[in-house]
Amino acid sequence: MSAVQQGPAVERGGRPARYTAGGGVVLVAALAYLPYLVDTGVTQAMVVFFYLAAMALMWNLLAGYAGLVSVGQQAYVGLGAYAVLQFSNWGVAPFLGVWLAALACAVIALPTSFAAFRLRADYFAVGTWAIAEVYHLLVIQDSSLGGGSGSALTTLSGIDPVLRDAETYWTALAVAAVCVLGCFLLLRGRVGLALTAIRDDETAAGSAGVRVGPAKRTVYLAAAAGCGAAGGVVIVSQLNVAPDSAFSVQWSASMIFIVLLGGIGTLEGPLLGAALFTVVQQYFGADGAWYLIVLGAACVPVAVWLPRGLWGVVARATPLRVFPLARRVRAASPTAAGPGR
């Protein structure tokens, strides 16, 4: 027998990834059982957390990994909400309409991306906001969707409120779980490597053979689908939609704040930021605009002294990684081979 030297290899999975997968399944199962244990006030607060987390994950996917800073993701939140309303008018169950709304937003985002990607840096950010306003104005012109005053989602009004809240909760949980899983799988693959290169230097990435356009478009469509599904959850939880609120830039402001607070460029950060934002909103939302002023003031020192957010502090202090995205090189090792000739 002779030994053959096996070259170094890149590992992406390993034990941490298996722990994440197993823990994720247990956590989702436990959360799915929550409506049987708590009252509707708790589940309604969790619905807010789920759709905010989904939105923040999508914005982080764009800005934190692809370097595409958008202030127009409210376009797909609004389009997702109105898509659920339109599908409901066509006889589609609203909870099924949430998933169809995600697909519809991805389809709409495809031609939109060709216009948006003609812009760079600050112009891209402003351009996405302008695109959102265009969609806002188009929806207002459609009288079948309620025009400027919006419309109610009447197809859910006849369902028992407790059952409706539970189904809304499960749909929101599923949307958040799919967004987390989708981001995790996307970033662990070739697209994740391409996005890292594009974020650091788009020109150099293109020169090195990275397919910049397809990678950015993949992320843009994924973010549109995720925000569209979150917008669908918003309308089924509130049972009505109005264009000014559905297309409000406040959605993008919330996404940006959550990501900066939790930690940009990580998957853990948006989840942590969404949890903190939801708690503050639930306890201090009745104080009106004051809690927003406090949140904005708190964001300044975080951005200055904690550029990697709160999760960055945790990551520096401990080896804890909930979502192991990093790759490591496995050293070469000899393997046994059959007798040579």
Side-chain angles (χ1 to χ4, degrees):
M1 300 288 287
S2 61
V4 177
Q5 189 73 13
Q6 192 176 49
V10 176
E11 290 184 340
R12 292 185 300 172
R15 188 174 299 173
R18 291 193 292 271
Y19 287 160
T20 296
V25 171
V26 172
L27 179 60
V28 171
L31 289 173
Y33 195 74
L34 195 63
Y36 297 104
L37 302 176
V38 299
D39 58 33
T40 56
V42 175
T43 56
Q44 287 170 358
M46 290 297 294
V47 167
V48 174
F49 164 70
F50 289 143
Y51 68 65
L52 286 177
M55 293 180 193
L57 284 165
M58 296 302 101
W59 191 88
N60 182 58
L61 190 63
L62 284 172
Y65 288 98
L68 298 171
V69 179
S70 169
V71 293
Q73 287 306 105
Q74 67 271 16
Y76 300 107
V77 175
L79 288 173
Y82 272 96
V84 172
L85 177 63
Q86 183 63 75
F87 285 129
S88 176
N89 293 339
W90 289 340
V92 177
F95 295 112
L96 173 60
V98 169
W99 304 103
L100 295 179
L103 179 60
C105 285
V107 171
I108 294 172
L110 181 58
T112 303
S113 66
F114 287 95
F117 289 168
R118 296 178 66 88
L119 306 172
R120 294 289 185 273
D122 296 343
Y123 296 100
F124 176 83
V126 175
T128 56
W129 174 80
I131 289 170
E133 287 302 302
V134 169
Y135 286 130
H136 178 195
L137 294 173
L138 289 174
V139 167
I140 289 176
Q141 304 307 313
D142 192 340
S143 59
S144 67
L145 296 176
S149 59
S151 180
L153 187 64
T154 58
T155 52
L156 289 178
S157 59
I159 300 177
D160 179 81
V162 175
L163 178 59
R164 184 181 65 225
D165 287 341
E167 291 183 348
T168 301
Y169 172 87
W170 288 322
T171 302
L173 171 61
V175 167
V178 168
C179 287
V180 171
L181 179 61
C183 289
F184 182 64
L185 295 178
L186 187 67
L187 294 172
R188 290 184 70 245
R190 291 181 177 272
V191 173
L193 290 175
L195 293 178
T196 302
I198 293 168
R199 179 189 59 191
D200 293 341
D201 192 324
E202 183 175 327
T203 303
S207 301
V210 175
R211 301 180 63 193
V212 174
K216 290 168 59 177
R217 188 160 287 110
T218 298
V219 170
Y220 188 79
L221 267 61
C227 286
V233 172
V234 172
I235 187 175
V236 297
S237 64
Q238 298 179 356
L239 299 182
N240 63 78
V241 61
D244 290 345
S245 60
F247 290 93
S248 172
V249 73
Q250 182 63 41
W251 289 117
S252 284
S254 298
M255 298 179 214
I256 295 170
F257 175 82
I258 288 170
V259 173
L260 292 180
L261 176 64
I264 192 169
T266 66
L267 290 185
E268 298 90 347
L271 297 176
L272 176 60
L276 294 174
F277 186 86
T278 304
V279 170
V280 172
Q281 191 178 58
Q282 292 297 315
Y283 281 95
F284 302 104
D287 295 333
W290 282 107
Y291 91 97
L292 294 175
I293 295 173
V294 173
L295 285 177
C299 193
V300 174
V302 170
V304 173
W305 289 298
L306 300 175
R308 303 302 296 179
L310 297 178
W311 183 256
V313 177
V314 176
R316 286 195 300 268
T318 69
L320 177 63
R321 298 295 183 273
V322 180
F323 300 100
L325 296 174
R327 294 163 173 78
R328 64 177 183 269
V329 178
R330 185 183 63 204
S333 59
T335 59
R341 293 184 178 179

